[in-house]
Every structure is written in C-alpha cells, then in structure tokens.
Amino acid sequence: MPAKTVVQILMVPAQALGQPFLQKCYNAHMLQRAGFMRLEIKEKIQPRIESARTVLGDVIPLTTPYVVFIDPSSACNFKCTFCPTGDRELIKSTGRYQGNLHLDQYMKVLSDIGEFDKRLKVLRLYKDGEPLLNRHLPDMIRMAREADVADVIDTTTNGYLLGGEMGETLVKAGLSRINISIDGLDEAQFWKFTKAKVDFPKFLANLKDFYSVSGDCEVVIKTTKEIIGEDRKDEFLNTFGDYCDRIFVENTSPCWPDFDVEERMGITIETGLYGNEILDVKTCPYLFYSISVNSDLSVSACFVDWSRGLKVGSLKEASLKDIWLGAEMQSHRLAHLQGKRDAHSICGKCSQITHCKADNIDADAGKLLDLYRQVPEDQLSAKVLKAYEREH
C-alpha cells in the first residue's frame, strides 16, 4: 500500500475505522515495520545538490569565486572506511596537518574574502575533517554573518557532537544550512563503518532536539545505500525524515584521488552519487568557481585535495584573491581546457566530476580556452603546466 493511501486512510473519521485499526495506523513504529512511508516524508526526499544552477560557461572567468571552502578542523572523531581522513596512518604519511584552524587565522581568511569584488554565493565551513571538533565553529559562523561575506553559510557534519546547546548555538550564530551524514542505523553499523561507539537512541534524540530549534537553518540528512543496505532504505527515511527538511539515500562515490573506496568497502560502483549516469568529463568545473582553505592556511585548488597535492599557495604568504587570480590556479584552468586533465597525477584519478553530477563545461571549453590563452605567459606557472605534460 503506497504512503499516500495510508495518509488518506488516517484521514477517515474514527467511527468508520474502528478503534483497533486506528491504534495500529497511528503507531508510527508499526507503519515503519510494514514498510509504509508518510507523504510528508516522501516530499522531503531530495538530493543535497541544488537544482537551480548558474550556467558556468556564460559567466567564466569569475573575479570572485562562487564557493569558498574553509576547513575548521582537518581532524575527525570517526575513522570512516570510505574517507581518507579516517585512515590515520595514511594521513600521517602525507605530512598533512591534523588539527583546528585557529580563530585569528580564520579572521585573516575572512579579511581576504572581503577583498573580492562581490559576496560569495556560499561559504562552506567544511572540507576534510569534522567541523564540530573546533569549539570556535559558532564564532566563525557569527563572524562571517556579521562580515556579510556570503549569501549562504553551511557546514557538513557526522552529527555526533550536535547534542546539548551546540545545535541552537550554531543556528543563532547564523548558519544557513547543515548537511548531516548518517553512518549507520544502529550501533553495529556505526562501528563497522566508523569505528566509533555510538549510542544510537541518544544520537537520534540529539538530531530531534536540534531540528526543533533549527529555525531558518535548512537541515539536510543523507546516507549511502552501501552503509545502511538497500533493504533498510525505508527504515532510514522513516527514522530520520521527521528531523530534516531534505533527506536522501546516496550512492558511494569514488571521489577521492588515490583512495580506492571500492577496495576499502568491498563494493563495486556502477552509478553516480545521486543515481545519475556516470559521465566522461574532461574539464573540472570546480577550478573555475571554488577554492579551498585548509586548516593550516594552505590553499588547495580543489576541495577533494585530501593529500595536499594540489596546493596553490598559502594565506601566510599571499591573499586569497591573489591566489584565486594567480599563476597556479590559472595554469590548472588552462590545462583542463586544453583537455589535459587525464595526464595529471591527481586530477586524472578524480571521479568527483564524473560521478557526482557536477556542472559540465566541456561544451564551452573551446570558447573558454580562447579567453585563457590570452593570459600572459609570465602570469602562468611552468611547474603546474609541466605536471600536465607527464605520462602516467
């Protein structure tokens, strides 16, 4: 019986149904066990990617990025099998800083963002780690809101530390949207995929309490079918659907270069993140509208740069605007427009743009290439361009 039919039944006068039947219908747990889903939950089933998007080919080159990622913490309280940050030894081998962004450093980032010609569309307080590990996250949100640097301020979290007063503090600080990744439907699943001991009833209660005070902050909850299992999809939607504005079961994506998520999870990936078709994309669109500031003030060309192989500068040495318009970024963009992405040791192994329904600018590559060929040679990076000439 479809969910809509169940809702219609529940609207029938009590006299027509009888007390025993009503007791069963009004018991949410029984509805879930029977596989029913309420209409109001079905209406929330939407992917976290925004459907209304600017056609990048019409606006590139951008003097101001649309999105700036700032990583409040490169560390994490989980050890997820599907994420590079979860492998402590792997991260240690890269020499990557594991820790929090200091508040005075964050103030430097905000000051730099203020130098751009326009406001950002999105300030994303998330990249490699768990943002809530940084106790100053609410202050960071408040400061960004007061500085009026972006239309939207959002973050992504595993939700484990969202209990107590933290949630309401984030909302009052001015958070626009929060993406909560759910890594299990019970303690056993959480342990299997995160190696964290999670009190599931308490975890769920914390999310319920947070949603009750979320106000204008949009709450987006998501998981992957590889974590919860295909047979528990409705259980996930019914369990969390009342505590969010959007909810979705995604597919695991091999987005991290040099990190074989299929091998680590023992799965085979045959479709895109949102159930979309996997495409052969030549040009990375993210280089043209986003840039990432790591928790040590180094700057990466791309938000999937977990190993720091795509560093394009440091805010300890230059401004974010100078880096955005600088030689390294311009050279990455030029090489991609020239069709050389596959030759790069990191970009060539990235599946973020093929699996994750990214903006596709391949059709505009020729037009855009004419623009970027006008960049003087002395304003390009020979080192970056050479990285696209190597054979791998």
Side-chain angles (χ1 to χ4, degrees), residues 34-53:
F36 297 138
M37 189 189 309
R38 300 194 314 279
L39 179 61
E40 58 266 34
I41 292 180
K42 292 191 72 172
E43 291 176 341
K44 295 180 180 182
I45 302 175
Q46 302 173 45
R48 55 192 161 113
I49 189 170
E50 300 297 333
S51 57
R53 305 183 70 83

mmCIF file of all heavy atoms in Angstrom, residues 34-53:
data_model
loop_
_atom_site.group_PDB
_atom_site.id
_atom_site.type_symbol
_atom_site.label_atom_id
_atom_site.label_comp_id
_atom_site.label_asym_id
_atom_site.label_seq_id
_atom_site.Cartn_x
_atom_site.Cartn_y
_atom_site.Cartn_z
ATOM 1 N N ALA A 34 5.921 -2.056 8.626
ATOM 2 C CA ALA A 34 5.126 -2.522 7.496
ATOM 3 C C ALA A 34 5.623 -1.967 6.176
ATOM 4 O O ALA A 34 5.143 -2.321 5.117
ATOM 5 C CB ALA A 34 3.664 -2.114 7.705
ATOM 6 N N GLY A 35 6.608 -1.080 6.221
ATOM 7 C CA GLY A 35 7.183 -0.528 5.002
ATOM 8 C C GLY A 35 6.481 0.706 4.493
ATOM 9 O O GLY A 35 6.699 1.135 3.374
ATOM 10 N N PHE A 36 5.593 1.286 5.293
ATOM 11 C CA PHE A 36 4.878 2.485 4.872
ATOM 12 C C PHE A 36 5.739 3.730 5.088
ATOM 13 O O PHE A 36 6.565 3.779 5.977
ATOM 14 C CB PHE A 36 3.579 2.644 5.658
ATOM 15 C CG PHE A 36 2.602 1.528 5.424
ATOM 16 C CD1 PHE A 36 1.890 0.978 6.480
ATOM 17 C CD2 PHE A 36 2.397 1.040 4.155
ATOM 18 C CE1 PHE A 36 0.984 -0.044 6.273
ATOM 19 C CE2 PHE A 36 1.490 0.011 3.931
ATOM 20 C CZ PHE A 36 0.782 -0.535 4.991
ATOM 21 N N MET A 37 5.514 4.723 4.283
ATOM 22 C CA MET A 37 6.202 5.996 4.440
ATOM 23 C C MET A 37 5.187 7.118 4.317
ATOM 24 O O MET A 37 4.417 7.164 3.365
ATOM 25 C CB MET A 37 7.279 6.160 3.372
ATOM 26 C CG MET A 37 8.186 7.356 3.582
ATOM 27 S SD MET A 37 9.229 7.584 2.139
ATOM 28 C CE MET A 37 9.888 5.934 1.933
ATOM 29 N N ARG A 38 5.174 8.001 5.268
ATOM 30 C CA ARG A 38 4.211 9.094 5.244
ATOM 31 C C ARG A 38 4.501 10.061 4.104
ATOM 32 O O ARG A 38 5.646 10.272 3.721
ATOM 33 C CB ARG A 38 4.225 9.838 6.585
ATOM 34 C CG ARG A 38 3.860 8.951 7.762
ATOM 35 C CD ARG A 38 3.550 9.776 9.000
ATOM 36 N NE ARG A 38 4.515 10.826 9.241
ATOM 37 C CZ ARG A 38 5.687 10.627 9.827
ATOM 38 N NH1 ARG A 38 6.055 9.412 10.183
ATOM 39 N NH2 ARG A 38 6.500 11.635 10.043
ATOM 40 N N LEU A 39 3.441 10.660 3.604
ATOM 41 C CA LEU A 39 3.553 11.561 2.460
ATOM 42 C C LEU A 39 4.492 12.725 2.749
ATOM 43 O O LEU A 39 5.283 13.115 1.895
ATOM 44 C CB LEU A 39 2.166 12.094 2.082
ATOM 45 C CG LEU A 39 2.118 13.069 0.899
ATOM 46 C CD1 LEU A 39 2.630 12.398 -0.360
ATOM 47 C CD2 LEU A 39 0.688 13.565 0.694
ATOM 48 N N GLU A 40 4.427 13.279 3.975
ATOM 49 C CA GLU A 40 5.270 14.435 4.284
ATOM 50 C C GLU A 40 6.756 14.083 4.256
ATOM 51 O O GLU A 40 7.595 14.954 4.013
ATOM 52 C CB GLU A 40 4.887 15.040 5.641
ATOM 53 C CG GLU A 40 4.979 14.100 6.825
ATOM 54 C CD GLU A 40 3.658 13.434 7.129
ATOM 55 O OE1 GLU A 40 2.898 13.167 6.178
ATOM 56 O OE2 GLU A 40 3.382 13.186 8.320
ATOM 57 N N ILE A 41 7.094 12.810 4.500
ATOM 58 C CA ILE A 41 8.494 12.390 4.391
ATOM 59 C C ILE A 41 8.867 12.207 2.924
ATOM 60 O O ILE A 41 9.939 12.615 2.490
ATOM 61 C CB ILE A 41 8.740 11.102 5.198
ATOM 62 C CG1 ILE A 41 8.607 11.397 6.699
ATOM 63 C CG2 ILE A 41 10.119 10.527 4.893
ATOM 64 C CD1 ILE A 41 8.832 10.193 7.586
ATOM 65 N N LYS A 42 7.990 11.609 2.152
ATOM 66 C CA LYS A 42 8.280 11.398 0.720
ATOM 67 C C LYS A 42 8.570 12.722 0.027
ATOM 68 O O LYS A 42 9.416 12.796 -0.863
ATOM 69 C CB LYS A 42 7.107 10.687 0.044
ATOM 70 C CG LYS A 42 6.899 9.256 0.498
ATOM 71 C CD LYS A 42 5.917 8.525 -0.382
ATOM 72 C CE LYS A 42 6.514 8.204 -1.742
ATOM 73 N NZ LYS A 42 5.641 7.322 -2.538
ATOM 74 N N GLU A 43 7.880 13.774 0.455
ATOM 75 C CA GLU A 43 8.086 15.078 -0.173
ATOM 76 C C GLU A 43 9.443 15.683 0.164
ATOM 77 O O GLU A 43 9.890 16.613 -0.493
ATOM 78 C CB GLU A 43 6.966 16.030 0.252
ATOM 79 C CG GLU A 43 5.602 15.654 -0.323
ATOM 80 C CD GLU A 43 4.485 16.532 0.184
ATOM 81 O OE1 GLU A 43 4.689 17.182 1.233
ATOM 82 O OE2 GLU A 43 3.419 16.571 -0.465
ATOM 83 N N LYS A 44 10.085 15.162 1.199
ATOM 84 C CA LYS A 44 11.406 15.669 1.589
ATOM 85 C C LYS A 44 12.549 14.954 0.877
ATOM 86 O O LYS A 44 13.709 15.348 1.023
ATOM 87 C CB LYS A 44 11.599 15.519 3.094
ATOM 88 C CG LYS A 44 10.677 16.352 3.957
ATOM 89 C CD LYS A 44 10.978 16.119 5.433
ATOM 90 C CE LYS A 44 10.069 16.936 6.330
ATOM 91 N NZ LYS A 44 10.395 16.733 7.771
ATOM 92 N N ILE A 45 12.264 13.905 0.135
ATOM 93 C CA ILE A 45 13.317 13.112 -0.485
ATOM 94 C C ILE A 45 13.887 13.872 -1.681
ATOM 95 O O ILE A 45 13.352 13.840 -2.788
ATOM 96 C CB ILE A 45 12.795 11.731 -0.912
ATOM 97 C CG1 ILE A 45 12.239 10.979 0.292
ATOM 98 C CG2 ILE A 45 13.907 10.913 -1.571
ATOM 99 C CD1 ILE A 45 11.601 9.654 -0.042
ATOM 100 N N GLN A 46 14.950 14.584 -1.423
ATOM 101 C CA GLN A 46 15.622 15.392 -2.441
ATOM 102 C C GLN A 46 17.124 15.361 -2.188
ATOM 103 O O GLN A 46 17.565 15.405 -1.033
ATOM 104 C CB GLN A 46 15.159 16.848 -2.368
ATOM 105 C CG GLN A 46 13.676 17.059 -2.530
ATOM 106 C CD GLN A 46 13.295 18.506 -2.280
ATOM 107 O OE1 GLN A 46 13.942 19.435 -2.754
ATOM 108 N NE2 GLN A 46 12.247 18.719 -1.504
ATOM 109 N N PRO A 47 17.946 15.291 -3.231
ATOM 110 C CA PRO A 47 19.404 15.306 -3.040
ATOM 111 C C PRO A 47 19.889 16.654 -2.542
ATOM 112 O O PRO A 47 19.214 17.677 -2.714
ATOM 113 C CB PRO A 47 19.943 14.996 -4.435
ATOM 114 C CG PRO A 47 18.866 15.450 -5.366
ATOM 115 C CD PRO A 47 17.572 15.170 -4.647
ATOM 116 N N ARG A 48 21.054 16.656 -1.923
ATOM 117 C CA ARG A 48 21.577 17.895 -1.348
ATOM 118 C C ARG A 48 22.090 18.870 -2.401
ATOM 119 O O ARG A 48 22.230 20.058 -2.143
ATOM 120 C CB ARG A 48 22.687 17.590 -0.344
ATOM 121 C CG ARG A 48 23.821 16.760 -0.879
ATOM 122 C CD ARG A 48 24.723 16.249 0.242
ATOM 123 N NE ARG A 48 25.540 15.124 -0.157
ATOM 124 C CZ ARG A 48 26.854 15.147 -0.272
ATOM 125 N NH1 ARG A 48 27.506 16.267 -0.049
ATOM 126 N NH2 ARG A 48 27.528 14.071 -0.628
ATOM 127 N N ILE A 49 22.375 18.384 -3.608
ATOM 128 C CA ILE A 49 22.848 19.287 -4.663
ATOM 129 C C ILE A 49 21.702 20.201 -5.079
ATOM 130 O O ILE A 49 20.540 19.782 -5.172
ATOM 131 C CB ILE A 49 23.378 18.488 -5.879
ATOM 132 C CG1 ILE A 49 24.076 19.423 -6.861
ATOM 133 C CG2 ILE A 49 22.275 17.708 -6.554
ATOM 134 C CD1 ILE A 49 24.831 18.707 -7.962
ATOM 135 N N GLU A 50 22.018 21.467 -5.286
ATOM 136 C CA GLU A 50 20.994 22.442 -5.666
ATOM 137 C C GLU A 50 20.654 22.288 -7.150
ATOM 138 O O GLU A 50 21.537 22.190 -8.001
ATOM 139 C CB GLU A 50 21.485 23.862 -5.391
ATOM 140 C CG GLU A 50 21.834 24.128 -3.929
ATOM 141 C CD GLU A 50 20.639 23.994 -3.007
ATOM 142 O OE1 GLU A 50 19.499 24.195 -3.463
ATOM 143 O OE2 GLU A 50 20.843 23.655 -1.830
ATOM 144 N N SER A 51 19.378 22.262 -7.471
ATOM 145 C CA SER A 51 18.939 22.068 -8.856
ATOM 146 C C SER A 51 19.035 23.338 -9.689
ATOM 147 O O SER A 51 19.305 23.290 -10.888
ATOM 148 C CB SER A 51 17.502 21.535 -8.879
ATOM 149 O OG SER A 51 16.634 22.414 -8.190
ATOM 150 N N ALA A 52 18.821 24.485 -9.064
ATOM 151 C CA ALA A 52 18.899 25.762 -9.782
ATOM 152 C C ALA A 52 20.356 26.231 -9.803
ATOM 153 O O ALA A 52 20.884 26.684 -8.794
ATOM 154 C CB ALA A 52 18.009 26.804 -9.116
ATOM 155 N N ARG A 53 20.991 26.112 -10.947
ATOM 156 C CA ARG A 53 22.416 26.402 -11.029
ATOM 157 C C ARG A 53 22.716 27.376 -12.165
ATOM 158 O O ARG A 53 22.049 27.370 -13.205
ATOM 159 C CB ARG A 53 23.220 25.113 -11.231
ATOM 160 C CG ARG A 53 22.938 24.057 -10.155
ATOM 161 C CD ARG A 53 23.780 22.821 -10.316
ATOM 162 N NE ARG A 53 25.175 23.068 -10.000
ATOM 163 C CZ ARG A 53 25.671 23.065 -8.770
ATOM 164 N NH1 ARG A 53 24.884 22.886 -7.727
ATOM 165 N NH2 ARG A 53 26.960 23.270 -8.566
#
